[in-house]
Amino acid sequence: EAPGGRNLRLGLAWHNEAAKIGYAGSLFVMAVAYEKGEGVPADAQRALGLYKLAALSGNASAGNTIGTYFYEGRMLSKDPATARKWFERAAIDGDADAMYNLGAMRRKGEGGSADRTRAWRIPLERSGTARGLAGAVEPSSSGPLASLTRRTLTSCSSRLLTPWLSYTPPSTRNTVRSG
């Protein structure tokens, strides 16, 4: 029995069947199960393969997970350029953590050239929200957010955008957010 009285084995059996026909959410659930050894034997390589299939099937959390592994060198060789590509894919698919990670990498120039102007674009343009802007915002009022056009600002809810306009990221932050 899983916590809360849920039957873990039965749930995984259903997810396994859905994963076999390519359901991205179930591919991700099975990847997590194999990575952690919950209800199935731990198998890092199988987990990684399932994460990749889930990401390529449109599961943004799986794409962020793979990006995190490349960024940290966990289960894969450390490769910031490849991490940045996976974060971009996941950000485009709507994962807020990937938006943060991509913005932070672009701002710092990790895995490619520094691009403070583009650091905020995917979170703002693709998602239509400001949730991922924390990784892209610069603390100065003369940064890229200061030059946003009125049209761009009005495309987002000002209620969502306002907290990020005043956000100052800690200078000591050097972590990647994972799902």
Side-chain angles (χ1 to χ4, degrees):
E1 288 288 311
R6 297 171 291 183
N7 188 319
L8 180 62
R9 290 197 189 275
L10 180 61
L12 287 177
W14 282 105
H15 277 293
N16 191 45
E17 290 303 311
K20 286 178 185 177
I21 59 170
Y23 180 65
S26 291
L27 287 164
F28 181 74
V29 168
M30 294 306 297
V32 171
Y34 279 106
E35 179 184 4
K36 297 178 186 247
E38 293 178 354
V40 293
D43 185 339
Q45 289 307 309
R46 189 164 187 185
L48 186 58
L50 288 168
Y51 279 128
K52 285 183 180 180
L53 282 174
L56 295 172
S57 298
N59 186 288
S61 294
N64 184 63
T65 300
I66 295 169
T68 301
Y69 291 164
F70 274 113
Y71 185 83
E72 295 175 348
R74 186 171 29 140
M75 289 176 46
L76 296 164
S77 298
K78 188 170 183 156
D79 184 347
T82 303
R84 188 166 163 165
K85 289 176 185 174
W86 280 102
F87 288 144
E88 184 165 357
R89 178 185 192 99
I92 289 169
D93 286 343
D95 187 85
D97 289 331
M99 291 176 202
Y100 174 92
N101 294 334
L102 177 63
M105 288 187 80
R106 282 182 172 171
R107 192 181 70 241
K108 295 185 244 176
E110 292 179 303
S113 61
D115 190 345
R116 292 175 182 262
T117 303
R118 285 193 61 207
W120 55 268
R121 281 199 181 134
I122 286 180
L124 188 60
E125 293 173 356
R126 302 290 184 170
S127 73
T129 70
R131 187 170 178 197
L133 286 175
V137 175
E138 290 186 42
S140 73
S141 61
S142 61
L145 289 178
S147 64
L148 289 175
T149 63
R150 184 176 211 52
R151 192 182 99 214
T152 304
L153 283 172
T154 56
S155 71
C156 284
S157 165
S158 61
R159 179 181 56 78
L160 291 172
L161 189 56
T162 302
W164 298 112
L165 290 173
S166 60
Y167 177 81
T168 305
S171 59
T172 57
R173 179 178 287 159
N174 191 22
T175 58
V176 171
R177 293 182 178 184
S178 59

